[in-house]
Amino acid sequence: GIYRDTVGASRKWQDAQLRPNFCIAMSVAPELFAPERAQAALSAVASRLIGPLGICTLDPADKEYRGDYHNDDDSADTAIAHGWNYHQGPEWVWPLGFFLEAWHHFASNGEADAKQAMRWLMEHRSMLRKAPWRSLPELTNSKGQHCHHSCPAQAWSLGTLLAALRVMNQ
């Protein structure tokens, strides 16, 4: 199961879309979540949304998924033109920190879950070493591809990951 991003959307099927936003609520108010259900929802995010650097803003299996963000697209395709798909699949980096905090809080496999969390961060370490700004981008396109319309050094992308590491090391 998942936690819904919307309830009562104008297009009813959108209420069932898998998005990562519930991870934020889980990290700041874990007492609101049943551990077993939280673990199942986090496992869905882990298997379906996590990319090399970020988290897809929409499940790639969703019919509205458009994972490549091109803000300069002047086409007539209303699904992607002029950056319309910003929330429809590109992989944002900053929510990963909230996901990792929730993953840590609801972990049931102890050391194995901690090692998995660190594996998710390996690409970040590599990018920090090679990026000219020594930072992380706002977002990437599908499968971690570079996005030319993303800010190359986004403070909250790095900040949420540092906060998650602090929580995970307590």
Side-chain angles (χ1 to χ4, degrees):
I2 64 168
Y3 289 96
R4 295 176 179 212
D5 196 47
T6 61
V7 176
S10 55
R11 291 184 264 175
K12 298 295 179 204
W13 52 268
Q14 288 179 322
D15 285 340
Q17 290 179 315
L18 174 59
R19 296 181 180 271
N21 300 325
F22 65 83
C23 299
I24 300 166
M26 281 185 173
S27 70
V28 298
E31 66 277 4
L32 298 177
F33 298 87
E36 300 79 24
R37 186 150 184 243
Q39 289 167 356
L42 290 167
S43 290
V45 170
S47 66
R48 294 162 49 190
L49 300 185
I50 292 184
L53 279 179
I55 294 183
C56 296
T57 52
L58 181 62
D59 187 346
D62 193 285
K63 67 181 181 178
E64 289 195 324
Y65 174 82
R66 303 291 185 279
D68 296 324
Y69 176 70
H70 302 289
N71 199 35
D72 61 353
D73 183 332
D74 291 330
S75 73
D77 185 347
T78 58
I80 59 171
H82 307 289
W84 182 252
N85 66 317
Y86 187 68
H87 296 269
Q88 298 300 91
E91 299 171 10
W92 293 359
V93 178
W94 69 266
L96 185 63
F98 291 103
F99 167 82
L100 290 171
E101 285 189 41
W103 181 264
H104 175 74
H105 181 84
F106 291 104
S108 61
N109 295 324
E111 181 126 353
D113 284 340
K115 285 181 180 180
Q116 177 57 58
M118 296 311 290
R119 279 193 294 274
W120 282 318
L121 291 170
M122 292 305 294
E123 189 64 30
H124 300 85
R125 182 178 183 183
S126 174
M127 175 160 277
L128 286 167
R129 287 183 171 155
K130 67 183 179 185
W133 294 94
R134 298 296 186 255
S135 190
L136 299 170
E138 169 192 16
L139 59 90
T140 64
N141 281 332
S142 58
K143 299 182 176 123
Q145 297 174 68
H146 177 73
C147 177
H148 296 284
H149 297 282
S150 172
C151 176
Q154 194 74 282
W156 62 77
S157 292
L158 192 54
T160 63
L161 295 178
L162 290 172
L165 284 168
R166 179 186 49 79
V167 167
M168 292 162 44
N169 285 315
Q170 289 177 345

